[in-house]
Amino acid sequence: MKMKQMDWIELDGAEGEGGGQVLRTALTLSMITGIPFRMERIRAKRSKPGLLRQHLTAVQAAKAISGASVVGDVVGSAELSFAPGAIRGGDYRFAIGTAGSCTLVLQTVLPALWFADGASTVAVSGGTHNRAAPPADFLTEVWQPLLARMGAQQALALQRHGFYPAGGGEMTASVTPIAKLQPISLIERGALQGMLAEARVAGVPGQVARREVERVSGQIAYVDGRVRELPAKEGPGNVLLLTVRHDNLTELFSGFGEKGVSAEAVADQAAREARHYLQSTAAVGEYLADQLLLPMALAGGGSFTAVTASSHLLTNMAVIEKFLPVAFEQTALADGGVQVSVS
């Protein structure tokens, strides 16, 4: 899978959805394949283009893990050159310094550490629950179990919540290297096992959480409710996590409390996404679909049905195909969803 150092891949960060996913996928696959890349117009379609703190932390983490030579790794940079070395196991700690997403940094470096020269531990501090990224629970409850079925040997844990804008949260991971991932097929979700709406508050009145749980229960039948009051020092913050468990996988939908946003509006956001999923026949939701592409491509095969082919999904496909000798096939489903196959 290795290429000569001179064979650089050129990427335009403004293509497709034009956000940070292009950069994160490129960093991951560059480390794994050894192929260097140059990227211009990083996050060009975002209101604040260029590298923000969480993106820079992902770059710096990838640099540390692979001994890469990097140009352009400063806040605000719209261009980056990244030439990786060998992936090295070890004990790593990265601090974003803002409420930027711990989960996205972890999802950048963990796939590379699956193929490192030794075991690793990783700790990332920053935001664990914010609107712009999957919450920590998505990684531990949804993403991690599926990766385990594919053969990845890793354990993830939420050590401390970190909400926007304060941050201050932490996630940790331990990884044992593997030789290869195994394909997975997620065509049907199977029978419904149960649903749980858990509202968490830190430094916010418990009544807010109770209102969110009541609101969801009034919109979706057979949902269990739970209120969890966190230590005030982990806040202020509020998140509603709506977990949907089927025989073949678990999905999770979330709403995040913000100043000026009612508890009912937070609940409505999570409930709306969950209903969309439950009313479809697809196995995976919009966001999980995007996050399954890379491990399936590394496994050299696999398939899933998703509620929609989002711009994130299509952009990620295009980037992956530049680094790996794989092809994605899409088949439309009768209910508006899509089946994606990797070969």
Side-chain angles (χ1 to χ4, degrees):
M1 203 179 282
K2 297 284 185 180
M3 292 180 68
K4 295 180 180 179
Q5 190 73 3
M6 67 184 71
D7 295 325
W8 290 71
I9 288 177
E10 305 289 339
L11 296 169
D12 183 351
E15 290 186 357
E17 60 91 22
Q21 183 65 62
V22 177
L23 173 64
R24 290 188 295 271
T25 296
L27 288 169
T28 303
L29 291 179
S30 178
M31 287 188 285
I32 293 172
T33 63
I35 305 172
F37 72 89
R38 298 185 187 92
M39 183 178 296
E40 62 179 7
R41 299 199 293 174
I42 295 171
R43 301 181 62 254
K45 295 183 179 179
R46 295 298 184 260
S47 59
K48 294 182 179 179
L51 296 177
L52 299 183
R53 282 295 314 173
Q54 75 176 37
H55 311 101
L56 177 59
T57 303
V59 172
Q60 293 171 335
K63 177 180 179 179
I65 285 168
S66 67
S69 298
V70 184
V71 177
D73 51 339
V74 295
V75 170
S77 176
E79 298 182 357
L80 185 81
S81 296
F82 186 90
I87 303 168
R88 301 173 296 199
D91 298 319
Y92 297 98
R93 177 171 289 275
F94 307 109
I96 298 173
T98 67
S101 174
C102 295
T103 59
L104 293 179
V105 174
L106 281 173
Q107 286 189 316
T108 301
V109 299
L110 288 178
L113 292 174
W114 298 338
F115 307 105
D117 61 0
S120 302
T121 63
V122 185
V124 183
S125 61
T128 61
H129 294 80
N130 59 46
R131 291 183 58 188
D137 306 81
F138 189 94
L139 265 63
T140 59
E141 301 298 317
V142 179
W143 188 68
Q144 162 61 24
L146 295 176
L147 268 296
R149 285 163 56 181
M150 298 181 72
Q153 296 185 30
Q154 63 181 22
L156 306 175
L158 170 63
Q159 302 297 340
R160 185 174 60 253
H161 291 73
F163 296 97
Y164 178 85
E170 182 176 85
M171 288 194 71
T172 57
S174 59
V175 184
T176 300
I178 59 174
K180 191 178 188 308
L181 287 172
Q182 301 302 314
I184 190 172
S185 178
L186 295 168
I187 302 301
E188 297 180 353
R189 61 177 77 144
L192 179 65
Q193 294 182 348
M195 294 181 284
L196 173 65
E198 179 175 289
R200 300 177 189 171
V201 288
V204 173
Q207 181 61 26
V208 171
R210 288 187 284 274
R211 285 165 53 194
E212 290 171 351
V213 170
E214 290 171 3
R215 182 78 165 192
V216 171
S217 298
Q219 297 184 45
I220 301 177
Y222 310 112
V223 175
D224 294 326
R226 179 189 300 164
V227 170
R228 182 178 172 191
E229 297 193 38
L230 305 169
K233 63 183 180 181
E234 296 191 14
N238 161 232
V239 62
L240 175 66
L241 302 170
L242 180 46
T243 304
V244 181
R245 299 187 185 279
H246 285 88
D247 285 342
N248 296 331
L249 79 163
T250 296
E251 263 290 10
L252 186 147
F253 308 93
S254 53
F256 299 92
E258 298 179 56
K259 188 175 294 186
V261 178
S262 70
E264 288 73 23
V266 172
D268 289 347
Q269 172 65 34
R272 183 163 50 248
E273 293 183 6
R275 286 199 308 271
H276 183 210
Y277 173 67
L278 291 167
Q279 290 165 1
S280 78
T281 60
V284 309
E286 175 182 347
Y287 304 116
L288 178 57
D290 181 46
Q291 294 169 30
L292 285 173
L293 281 182
L294 192 148
M296 283 188 172
L298 291 173
S303 58
F304 59 81
T305 54
V307 295
T308 186
S310 69
S311 60
H312 271 82
L313 187 78
L314 300 178
T315 302
N316 215 9
M317 287 180 181
V319 177
I320 291 170
E321 288 177 339
K322 291 180 182 292
F323 284 90
L324 297 176
V326 297
F328 297 99
E329 180 180 350
Q330 302 176 61
T331 304
L333 303 179
D335 64 354
V338 63
Q339 179 170 326
V340 176
S341 300
V342 186
S343 61

